[in-house]
Structure formats: structure tokens, C-alpha cells
Amino acid sequence: MDSRVKPLHYVTVEYWLRTVKEQECFNSPARQHRFLHSVETWIDGVDQQLEGLTPGQELTILLQPEIVDQVASLWDARHGLPAGSDLLLHLRVLEVVEATPREVVKALAENVQCCDHCGSH
């Protein structure tokens, strides 16, 4: 069975955030996040970079300031993420599981708005 990260598969990752300069870790121990790849967006641009990885593989991504602000909004403010600065997101793929058709339909219904394709509304 192929357990690579690909569309319509649930991906569970363990992740850490660190500042680029001080290498200060903002979440210790690491946190976990599970999402349906290509349907549920977690952090802009991260999903695509995970494509093809298998459980156990790791990836470090430099998050630009505009993405740091998005991450800060997802993160509890009391953790003190430094908005406006670069962060490193270190990920380890823990699990990749194919979603059932019912799970895909449910996720699409919850995540796709009628005007996502054009942005006119």
C-alpha cells in the first residue's frame, strides 16, 4: 500500500515553530495536526510541499512574514509568536490514510464555499 502524501488522503503531522534568528521553539513539545490533503487548507503553501512524503520523513519550511501572521491567527496568542518576522516550520509526517468517499464529500461540503472559484462574493 502506497502511504505517500497525496490528494484526498488524511495527513497527520507533528510540527514545531522556531524563530529564524534565535532558533527559539514556540511549541515544545511538538503539536500534531490532521487535515485532508488538497481539501482542507492548514497553512498556505505547506500542503503542496508535503506532497509525496511518507511517514517518518521531515521537512523544514521558511515561513514568510505574511504567512507568519496567518500562523499567529491559528495559534493561541499567549504563545507569543513574533508577528512580522520569519519563522521556521519543522514538520514530521506521522500518518497518511486514504479518505473514504463519504469523508471527502463531508470535508468538501464543510470547506468549499459557493464562490471560492471566483471570489466575486
Side-chain angles (χ1 to χ4, degrees):
M1 181 169 96
D2 185 14
S3 61
R4 294 183 182 280
V5 173
K6 56 188 160 216
L8 307 182
H9 282 65
Y10 279 105
V11 179
T12 303
V13 295
E14 182 175 51
Y15 65 96
W16 302 262
L17 286 166
R18 297 184 183 278
T19 59
V20 171
K21 287 185 178 181
E22 296 86 20
Q23 292 291 305
E24 179 184 354
C25 188
F26 285 94
N27 60 313
S28 185
R31 291 189 174 189
Q32 291 186 9
H33 181 72
R34 183 176 191 248
F35 64 97
L36 184 56
H37 184 58
S38 76
V39 175
E40 299 170 339
T41 300
W42 179 38
I43 299 171
D44 289 342
V46 170
D47 305 4
Q48 296 83 2
Q49 293 187 51
L50 289 169
E51 185 111 10
L53 296 181
T54 58
Q57 287 189 298
E58 298 183 8
L59 177 67
T60 300
I61 301 168
L62 174 64
L63 300 177
Q64 301 301 320
E66 60 274 8
I67 300 299
V68 170
D69 293 339
Q70 177 189 357
V71 171
S73 71
L74 297 172
W75 202 265
D76 189 337
R78 71 177 178 263
H79 285 90
L81 287 177
S85 64
D86 293 339
L87 288 178
L88 294 173
L89 174 66
H90 184 81
L91 303 148
R92 178 183 301 127
V93 177
L94 298 177
E95 182 179 51
V96 180
V97 178
E98 185 174 6
T100 66
R102 176 172 273 160
E103 290 171 326
V104 171
V105 169
K106 182 179 180 200
L108 285 169
E110 292 172 355
N111 291 284
V112 175
Q113 301 298 317
C114 68
C115 295
D116 274 355
H117 67 282
C118 65
S120 64
H121 300 290

